[in-house]
Amino acid sequence: MPGEDSVTLYGYETLRGSPPPTDKPIRVISMEYCPFAERARMVLAKKGLEHDIINVDLSNKPAFLFEANPNGQVPGLLHEGNNIYESENVVEYLENKFPETATLYPKDATVRAQGRQLSSQHGSKVIPAFYKTVSSLKSEDPAVRKEAFANFHKVLDTWVEQKLGDGPFFGGATENITDILIWPWLYRSDILTRHRLPELLNADKFPKTLRYIAAMRALPYIQQTAATDEGLLKFVDTFTSGKKPVGYNIDSKHPFYAGPASADA
């Protein structure tokens, strides 16, 4: 990812020993195409905090991933001997630990509470609908895809389009923690709309959503931490083909690692 100090490890390579040593005060265990890990990377970039990133292959989880996160998921944040995991916990930790740099939380208690409510609804409704829509691409039944798209449009209208005011961000003129938590899935929706599924985000139905996406894309720290369109599309292709992605790091900057030729390799 441009502008980040990152190390990418592939396949069975990550199962051997520990990750490379670092002189950075913060380390993030990540995966390039994970939207939850992207939340952590966005906060680190926005706050300008010195860090490095270890991208792992989630189909061959290394032992050190479980040391950072006992659930074997990303992100895992290592800082001052602490292991912080679950993306919302990581975001909150970074905000509380470094409140003096690019604060994310609105000062107004009501606005803050409303943002939490919105991000919670996004997590329980928009995110599942997005994944159901992507999963429907694997089906040969057009009715399955039609139903998934209709449901995604319904929840997107309720919990995104109608929640955006004069904006362009959820909090108004400037972005805040709500945008950080919601953005990764809208970014992926935008990429799919641009390259594969023009009906996913229709400009007539979702003008505020598209205005929001354009505003977020223009932010330097978003550009710094976003995976490329090409890489995300390749990742989606491996998923919709019905094949389990063997090497998760398939960006053009990081060639796809297909694993050893045999189990004994």
Side-chain angles (χ1 to χ4, degrees):
M1 285 154 285
E4 292 187 324
D5 187 357
S6 62
V7 176
T8 301
L9 302 176
Y10 302 95
Y12 72 99
E13 173 186 340
T14 64
L15 298 174
R16 300 177 177 178
S18 300
T22 180
D23 59 356
K24 303 293 191 265
I26 300 173
R27 165 164 281 178
V28 181
I29 309 300
S30 178
M31 190 274 276
E32 286 182 272
Y33 305 106
C34 175
F36 295 97
E38 188 173 335
R39 287 171 164 175
R41 300 197 307 266
M42 285 191 292
V43 174
L44 287 163
K46 180 173 175 60
K47 286 181 172 290
L49 300 174
E50 191 177 15
H51 66 284
D52 77 350
I53 296 171
I54 296 290
N55 289 311
V56 298
D57 181 340
L58 292 178
S59 65
N60 275 319
K61 296 181 179 181
F64 64 77
L65 172 59
F66 292 91
E67 295 172 3
N69 184 339
N71 298 319
Q73 300 171 334
V74 294
L77 185 94
L78 308 178
H79 179 240
E80 295 181 343
N82 299 312
N83 295 354
I84 312 297
Y85 52 92
E86 303 300 336
S87 62
E88 292 192 36
N89 293 339
V90 171
V91 169
E92 183 176 6
Y93 174 85
L94 290 171
E95 174 65 12
N96 291 334
K97 197 73 175 177
F98 305 97
E100 69 283 355
T101 57
T103 183
L104 297 168
Y105 288 112
K107 293 182 179 180
D108 186 276
T110 300
V111 175
R112 190 182 307 177
Q114 290 173 340
R116 283 184 178 273
Q117 291 170 178
L118 180 57
S119 60
S120 176
Q121 293 294 337
H122 180 86
S124 64
K125 294 182 172 63
V126 179
I127 292 176
F130 170 80
Y131 287 127
K132 185 176 181 179
T133 301
V134 175
S135 294
S136 75
L137 302 179
K138 296 188 290 186
S139 175
E140 297 181 359
D141 184 353
V144 171
R145 178 169 169 172
K146 182 178 180 180
E147 179 184 1
F149 273 64
N151 181 57
F152 180 70
H153 288 158
K154 179 180 178 180
V155 298
L156 192 71
D157 180 63
T158 301
W159 298 109
V160 178
E161 185 69 19
Q162 294 186 33
K163 297 300 181 181
L164 286 164
D166 295 332
F169 305 104
F170 284 102
T174 58
E175 78 282 9
N176 60 34
I177 185 64
T178 304
D179 301 282
I180 295 288
L181 296 177
I182 289 176
W183 168 247
W185 290 268
L186 294 180
Y187 175 54
R188 283 152 180 76
S189 298
D190 182 48
I191 288 175
L192 288 172
T193 300
R194 289 168 180 260
H195 299 286
R196 300 285 171 79
L197 306 170
E199 70 274 28
L200 191 61
L201 294 178
N202 184 289
D204 293 330
K205 292 182 178 179
F206 303 107
K208 291 183 180 180
T209 302
L210 292 175
R211 181 191 64 186
Y212 169 79
I213 289 171
M216 288 293 287
R217 274 184 172 268
L219 297 172
Y221 71 93
I222 296 296
Q223 298 172 7
Q224 178 182 340
T225 55
T228 64
D229 290 19
E230 178 187 2
L232 280 169
L233 288 169
K234 287 180 180 179
F235 182 75
V236 170
D237 286 344
T238 62
F239 176 76
T240 56
S241 68
K243 299 177 181 179
K244 179 180 179 180
V246 178
Y248 272 30
N249 296 291
I250 50 180
D251 193 283
S252 58
K253 301 188 299 295
H254 305 298
F256 180 72
Y257 176 76
S262 69
D264 297 328

